[in-house]
Amino acid sequence: MELKKDSNAVTIDMLLIVHSEKRRATQGTHSDGQGDPGAPLQRRGGFQGVGNGIRKWQKIEANDLPGHLAEKQHPQQTQVITSYDNQGTQLTVEVHPRDAMPQLLKKLSLANRLQGDKNGNTRPRQPRGKDAYAYPWDRSSLKSMPLDLPRLEKLDTYASQVTVKSGLDELVSDLVQETQSDLERVRAIWIWICHHIEYDIVAAQEKDRQAFKPTDILRTQKTNCDGYAGLFEKMCRIAGVQCMTVAGYSKGFGYQTGQSFSGEFDHAWNAVYLEGQWHLVDSTWGSGMVDKTTSKFTFLYNEFYFLTHPALFIEDHFPDNKNWQLLKPPQSLRQFENSMYHKSEFYNKGMLSAHPETSTIRTVNGKAAITIESCAPTLFMFMLNGKQEHGLLSLRKNGMKLEVYPPTMGTHKLQIFAKGSSEIYSSVLEYTLKCNYVDFGAQLPTELHQPVGPSWFSEQMGIMKPSHPDPIIHTSDGRCSISFGVDEDISILASLHGDDGSITEETQRRYIFQLHREKRTELKVQLPHAGKFALKIFVKKRQEPGNYVFVFNYLLCCTNTKVNWPMFPESFGNWGQDNELLEPLLGVLPANRNVQFKLKLHGIAKALVKGQDTWPLTLNHEGYWEGSCSTAGCEEIYVMVLENANHNFYSYILKYQVNAQ
């Protein structure tokens, strides 16, 4: 064949095409996964079934095969000579006139470009050693080749807005007209598919439905995963880029942690040849997700599955041919089944690793411990059996630590979520916990929320240099004092929570007394009895409207059964945050006693204590208001202040109860 090319034309003297196949191959038999990836495949078509949407490869009509030659004579232009030997091998020859464009090249040409690579090769080659990436992941990049995503934003916007006008060729032509390289052509095709083709739930459930043709996909803009892969492959080949469809197992919709895989493959994706190497893409998973509860598809673009690093792609994609893992060494099916499944959001939100690296964890003495390493500070939360209970989650600058105490023996589902730079928590990990022992002494308060202990997040919210950096505080006498630096414009609110009902919503702040001294806030805490309590810390900017925001909590533990502290005095709105109470700190005063008072009050003209009588407080040289009063005949004692010396109106700032006589 003499083939001459210039920038404007393709001249063909004669095209001889030899297609060798068994006669019975057109009956749709399953091709061996180790076969030549460049051979025309009868298995182009639909994976179908509930889950990832596919049941088995099915034969597509002959004239829908990329590069297929219809076995008939083209009128007046093409002669087709077909011959069979005694072993059933078919030889087909097409003879074209000098000035006629062969039908095959018409089908696969676009803008004067031959289908294939720049060297004119039309049969994609098998992956070789240079295509393989080291396993495990080296943390260098989420991608298998350098990718400047900000530079591609303009192309992404353009490709996502291209509309179908007629057929597939014209669509590809419109998409690639703004591109300068094979990478950009593949990117434009990927973006268009991910933003326009919807996953067809119904088709996935109809196991006998025929495979989707590209023309049907363009018309309905729906398909299942083998339709996605077939469409992506055909569009790439039209654009002159080598591409293959890969079949295999996947950890997608319906996957259960730790499950095994056997029988028919359940998913399809693509390998695309760029800059001398093969790379992996999954446009099905790049386009969106299926809600497990409603079985409805939602477009939700996922960048992770475009040119994914093979050492990460193998976590949820196991190809039928190990060569398409693009890994050295390749992983076995058993390794695939047992390996930890990090969801795409794990990496999208900057996670690097998690420990343990197995999906099933057996508790030790009733506890399971999980750590995650991230490349930047990240907010996390967890759910055990669907509830945010029975665990201690503490944040670190580069990750988190979680200790979980299952409340019962048996199997439990643990989900871990991360927030990243977005406002939405996304599921990043799932573990199965096997518990054969329950540590009842480790039971945690129901109101203990996440995270526990101060961290980079509390610093970000204006709380710094805590006196207690650890999340758990043990107290032998039922009292503790916690302090931290606070930004000047930050207001602090704290509340105490237990599970036995002794602390009500009205009294949960009465066991805490808040003081401010030299730009530090001190929380004095008195526990009503022995046990475990959650001390919640909230913040709010003083000059801004709105509610206080939860930041973190401490776990307070006391085993002393003699502890029985009363509440602190009740404070009112005029009790300023900068005020300081030295005595009395107990909210319940003894009857028939003289009680000493000492307070630091700011911006006050006069102060007094009121019971049966009124006792004035005097300002000493240290700036404290001091005095005493008698509790005889009193049920309640109030501290009152006069803010303006020219007025006679006193405000209540503190209230004490008096023990019954």
Side-chain angles (χ1 to χ4, degrees):
M1 179 179 74
E2 180 183 356
L3 185 63
K4 300 177 182 179
K5 294 189 290 183
D6 59 30
S7 60
N8 298 315
V10 176
T11 303
I12 299 176
D13 287 341
M14 184 182 80
L15 176 65
L16 176 64
I17 299 176
V18 179
H19 183 96
S20 179
E21 62 179 6
K22 296 294 182 181
R23 288 185 183 182
R24 298 177 62 183
T26 58
Q27 297 178 6
T29 56
H30 180 64
S31 299
D32 182 41
Q34 303 292 332
D36 184 355
L41 300 179
Q42 277 70 43
R43 60 181 188 180
R44 295 285 186 274
F47 276 115
Q48 299 188 9
V50 179
N52 296 298
I54 39 187
R55 180 173 61 90
K56 62 181 180 180
W57 290 107
Q58 294 184 346
K59 183 185 71 173
I60 191 170
E61 293 182 9
N63 57 8
D64 291 314
L65 288 172
H68 177 81
L69 292 175
E71 297 179 11
K72 63 182 180 181
Q73 184 171 330
H74 299 288
Q76 300 179 357
Q77 292 182 334
T78 304
Q79 293 183 3
V80 180
I81 303 171
T82 303
S83 176
Y84 298 92
D85 63 14
N86 56 7
Q87 294 181 345
T89 300
Q90 173 186 312
L91 177 67
T92 301
V93 178
E94 287 190 17
V95 182
H96 300 269
R98 174 185 292 270
D99 298 327
M101 171 67 75
Q103 295 300 312
L104 175 63
L105 293 183
K106 283 184 179 180
K107 184 173 184 180
L108 300 180
S109 64
L110 173 69
N112 298 328
R113 300 181 71 242
L114 282 173
Q115 176 249 322
D117 62 20
K118 296 177 181 178
N119 298 319
N121 300 321
T122 59
R123 298 186 69 185
R125 65 163 177 80
Q126 279 273 8
R128 300 169 184 166
K130 70 174 184 178
D131 297 299
Y133 293 76
Y135 183 89
W137 183 46
D138 60 6
R139 300 186 178 187
S140 59
S141 173
L142 300 182
K143 302 295 185 182
S144 55
M145 65 182 292
L147 205 60
D148 188 350
L149 291 176
R151 189 183 66 81
L152 292 172
E153 287 180 357
K154 184 177 179 180
L155 176 62
D156 291 352
T157 301
Y158 166 78
S160 66
Q161 295 173 352
V162 171
T163 57
V164 179
K165 298 176 182 176
S166 57
L168 197 60
D169 284 19
E170 184 177 0
L171 172 61
V172 176
S173 178
D174 290 342
L175 286 171
V176 303
Q177 69 179 2
E178 299 291 329
T179 63
Q180 303 296 323
S181 65
D182 282 351
L183 170 61
E184 291 184 357
R185 283 182 271 277
V186 169
R187 179 71 179 190
I189 292 169
W190 154 271
I191 288 292
W192 188 88
I193 290 177
C194 289
H195 287 80
H196 289 84
I197 304 303
E198 178 180 345
Y199 188 81
D200 194 332
I201 308 296
V202 175
Q205 295 172 340
E206 294 179 1
K207 296 184 179 182
D208 295 328
R209 182 164 177 168
Q210 292 297 314
F212 285 93
K213 304 176 185 178
T215 52
D216 292 334
I217 298 174
L218 291 188
R219 177 177 54 82
T220 63
Q221 298 207 345
K222 288 185 177 183
T223 188
N224 51 17
C225 60
D226 60 313
Y228 277 99
L231 179 64
F232 184 86
E233 177 184 342
K234 187 160 188 178
M235 292 176 73
C236 284
R237 292 196 177 194
I238 291 175
V241 180
Q242 292 188 19
C243 182
M244 291 293 297
T245 295
V246 182
Y249 296 121
S250 68
K251 296 178 180 178
F253 181 78
Y255 169 73
Q256 299 295 322
T257 302
Q259 80 174 61
S260 59
F261 294 86
S262 62
E264 297 164 341
F265 300 120
D266 65 357
H267 195 41
W269 55 93
N270 295 100
V272 62
Y273 195 73
L274 296 170
E275 299 184 7
Q277 276 189 296
W278 284 104
H279 304 269
L280 302 170
V281 301
D282 187 339
S283 55
T284 308
W285 292 5
S287 63
M289 58 185 298
V290 176
D291 188 291
K292 291 183 179 180
T293 56
T294 63
S295 293
K296 290 184 178 180
F297 174 83
T298 301
F299 278 107
L300 186 64
Y301 177 72
N302 192 343
E303 173 64 36
F304 180 77
Y305 291 106
F306 181 72
L307 308 184
T308 315
H309 193 293
L312 303 180
F313 203 77
I314 192 62
E315 291 195 15
D316 47 19
H317 293 73
F318 188 85
D320 60 344
N321 182 338
K322 68 179 181 180
N323 291 337
W324 289 113
Q325 293 182 24
L326 306 183
L327 289 177
K328 185 179 182 180
Q331 301 297 289
S332 67
L333 180 58
R334 178 63 59 88
Q335 288 174 305
F336 174 73
E337 292 172 343
N338 295 337
S339 65
M340 185 63 209
Y341 171 37
H342 304 96
K343 298 185 178 183
S344 62
E345 285 299 286
F346 181 89
Y347 298 107
N348 284 340
K349 293 187 179 297
M351 309 299 105
L352 296 173
S353 65
H355 184 82
E357 296 180 348
T358 57
S359 56
T360 300
I361 303 174
R362 296 189 179 276
T363 60
V364 177
N365 296 325
K367 181 180 79 172
I370 298 94
T371 58
I372 292 180
E373 181 184 358
S374 61
C375 60
T378 305
L379 288 174
F380 294 89
M381 62 170 284
F382 77 93
M383 296 185 76
L384 183 66
N385 301 325
K387 296 182 178 180
Q388 299 181 45
E389 299 177 358
H390 310 294
L392 297 172
L393 188 154
S394 55
L395 299 176
R396 298 173 173 177
K397 285 188 176 180
N398 294 100
M400 71 89 173
K401 179 182 178 181
L402 172 63
E403 295 180 351
V404 180
Y405 302 87
T408 60
M409 290 189 294
T411 301
H412 303 266
K413 180 180 180 180
L414 174 64
Q415 297 170 283
I416 298 177
F417 304 81
K419 192 172 185 180
S421 58
S422 69
E423 292 300 316
I424 300 174
Y425 280 92
S426 300
S427 176
V428 295
L429 282 179
E430 285 189 12
Y431 286 98
T432 297
L433 303 187
K434 301 285 187 179
C435 180
N436 57 8
Y437 169 78
V438 176
D439 183 0
F440 292 101
Q443 289 184 342
L444 302 173
T446 303
E447 289 292 326
L448 186 72
H449 290 172
Q450 310 157 41
V452 292
S455 66
W456 62 266
F457 178 64
S458 54
E459 288 186 8
Q460 182 177 295
M461 299 298 287
I463 299 176
M464 296 159 291
K465 297 180 180 179
S467 60
H468 294 69
D470 294 330
I472 303 176
I473 299 175
H474 294 275
T475 170
S476 58
D477 64 355
R479 295 185 297 180
C480 64
S481 177
I482 304 164
S483 65
F484 29 74
V486 179
D487 288 348
E488 292 183 0
D489 63 337
I490 294 296
S491 178
I492 300 291
L493 181 68
S495 58
L496 189 70
H497 303 263
D499 280 345
D500 66 347
S502 62
I503 302 178
T504 64
E505 185 174 351
E506 292 76 20
T507 62
Q508 60 191 14
R509 288 193 289 272
R510 294 283 305 281
Y511 289 95
I512 306 164
F513 203 83
Q514 186 171 320
L515 305 173
H516 291 267
R517 295 175 180 170
E518 299 179 353
K519 296 183 180 180
R520 288 188 68 83
T521 293
E522 181 182 2
L523 300 177
K524 291 184 178 292
V525 183
Q526 297 179 165
L527 302 180
H529 52 75
K532 295 181 179 179
F533 299 85
L535 176 63
K536 292 186 178 181
I537 311 296
F538 302 82
V539 302
K540 175 182 174 299
K541 288 195 174 182
R542 295 187 180 185
Q543 304 303 321
E544 294 183 2
N547 298 323
Y548 281 83
V549 177
F550 171 75
V551 180
F552 72 97
N553 43 208
Y554 284 105
L555 175 63
L556 307 185
C557 303
C558 178
T559 58
N560 186 349
T561 57
K562 296 181 180 180
V563 166
N564 184 24
W565 291 104
M567 294 180 289
F568 287 102
E570 182 178 358
S571 59
F572 297 99
N574 287 339
W575 173 262
Q577 286 205 357
D578 294 329
N579 292 343
E580 183 180 344
L581 175 64
L582 272 67
E583 57 179 347
L585 286 175
L586 298 182
V588 179
L589 303 178
N592 301 318
R593 296 281 185 87
N594 283 327
V595 179
Q596 293 294 319
F597 283 79
K598 187 175 183 180
L599 309 89
K600 179 169 283 188
L601 306 171
H602 298 276
I604 298 301
K606 293 182 180 181
L608 58 83
V609 178
K610 179 177 175 54
Q612 285 288 85
D613 297 308
T614 299
W615 294 267
L617 301 179
T618 59
L619 185 63
N620 67 18
H621 65 281
E622 295 178 340
Y624 289 94
W625 292 87
E626 293 182 305
S628 63
C629 79
S630 172
T631 62
C634 299
E635 295 182 358
E636 298 173 339
I637 297 290
Y638 294 90
V639 177
M640 306 175 69
V641 297
L642 181 66
E643 296 179 1
N644 190 326
N646 296 322
H647 297 158
N648 295 321
F649 179 75
Y650 281 79
S651 301
Y652 293 95
I653 59 171
L654 293 175
K655 176 183 177 181
Y656 293 84
Q657 300 290 331
V658 178
N659 269 330
Q661 299 183 17

